[in-house]
Amino acid sequence: KEKTLFVLPAFEVFPEDYVFVPMRGRKHRNENRYNFSKPATEDQLPANKSEIVEMVHAQKAEPFRVAQFAAGQAPTRYKRWLSLPEKRPGAIDHYYYPVAYEEKFEPYVLGHQPGIPHYWPGYRGSHNNKISWFRELDRAGYKFAALTDVFVTHLAHNRDINALYEKSHIEFVKTIGEEHRLHMDHHYPL
């Protein structure tokens, strides 16, 4: 009856015409590393693990937001995931491997457990919303394991990151973060 959620390694698929933008050409460290005229399309999606591995090696995809926010996905250990062979049909070897929780971890997960903490409603938009939920899951005793042949993809698109760095948004995140800490201390005392 161990409380385990399965991590789905996430990859960002780039459009055909992407161009790398060096750090000195960006306003913020988290700004898109790539520019392109149109977003990636569904016909670029990989059909299986072999195809996503090939796309990563060809630099047509990479672990999700690895350059902008490595801590969000780092515990998944993508080098390990990419090196594991694709499971043979019917085989059960290499089905999953344990993933240790680290602060700021925000993977995509699959699982169902009665009593799993609900997504905390205080956060809206981006910055700390998923992070706070995974922090709470860790505090509640949940463990994580990466599935070795299952993954999710994100179709890359240009986005305006400047709004995320406005002072009012940063202050909101700090205030709501303290409220979430109090919520966790009440429900999951150390």
Side-chain angles (χ1 to χ4, degrees):
K1 294 274 181 178
E2 186 175 334
K3 300 187 294 187
T4 301
L5 293 174
F6 292 102
V7 173
L8 304 172
F11 294 90
E12 186 159 27
V13 174
F14 300 115
E16 299 293 329
D17 69 340
Y18 78 89
V19 176
F20 179 73
V21 179
M23 181 64 101
R24 67 182 178 278
R26 294 183 256 160
K27 293 178 184 173
H28 300 289
R29 120 184 120 75
N30 288 340
E31 190 172 2
N32 292 335
R33 293 178 354 143
Y34 302 95
N35 279 334
F36 29 85
S37 60
K38 58 187 177 200
T41 60
E42 289 183 18
D43 62 326
Q44 295 175 253
L45 290 174
N48 53 44
K49 182 175 182 173
S50 297
E51 287 185 18
I52 192 65
V53 169
E54 186 177 305
M55 291 174 78
V56 169
H57 291 305
Q59 298 181 334
K60 294 179 180 180
E62 70 181 12
F64 184 69
R65 300 279 186 219
V66 68
Q68 294 89 346
F69 187 61
Q73 305 290 326
T76 304
R77 301 190 323 256
Y78 282 89
K79 284 184 182 177
R80 179 176 183 179
W81 190 90
L82 291 164
S83 71
L84 291 170
E86 191 163 13
K87 187 175 70 169
R88 298 177 312 280
I92 59 170
D93 58 333
H94 297 118
Y95 188 64
Y96 62 87
Y97 58 89
V99 174
Y101 171 79
E102 294 176 19
E103 181 62 25
K104 298 186 180 179
F105 189 32
E106 55 175 0
Y108 292 86
V109 294
L110 177 66
H112 171 75
Q113 291 288 336
I116 194 167
H118 291 273
Y119 202 74
W120 194 64
Y123 287 106
R124 293 179 292 290
S126 57
H127 276 72
N128 230 358
N129 49 3
K130 282 178 63 182
I131 292 170
S132 68
W133 190 60
F134 285 100
R135 186 181 301 128
E136 188 166 346
L137 290 169
D138 178 61
R139 181 83 78 84
Y142 282 81
K143 304 293 180 212
F144 304 96
L147 295 172
T148 59
D149 287 327
V150 180
F151 59 94
V152 295
T153 53
H154 174 263
L155 297 173
H157 56 87
N158 285 321
R159 64 186 185 137
D160 180 13
I161 195 112
N162 296 329
L164 299 177
Y165 294 95
E166 291 176 2
K167 186 175 180 177
S168 61
H169 182 74
I170 292 169
E171 290 302 317
F172 167 77
V173 169
K174 287 179 184 176
T175 302
I176 207 74
E178 178 60 19
E179 289 179 24
H180 184 253
R181 187 192 62 75
L182 293 171
H183 161 81
M184 286 199 328
D185 288 348
H186 175 75
H187 290 286
Y188 312 100
L190 293 176

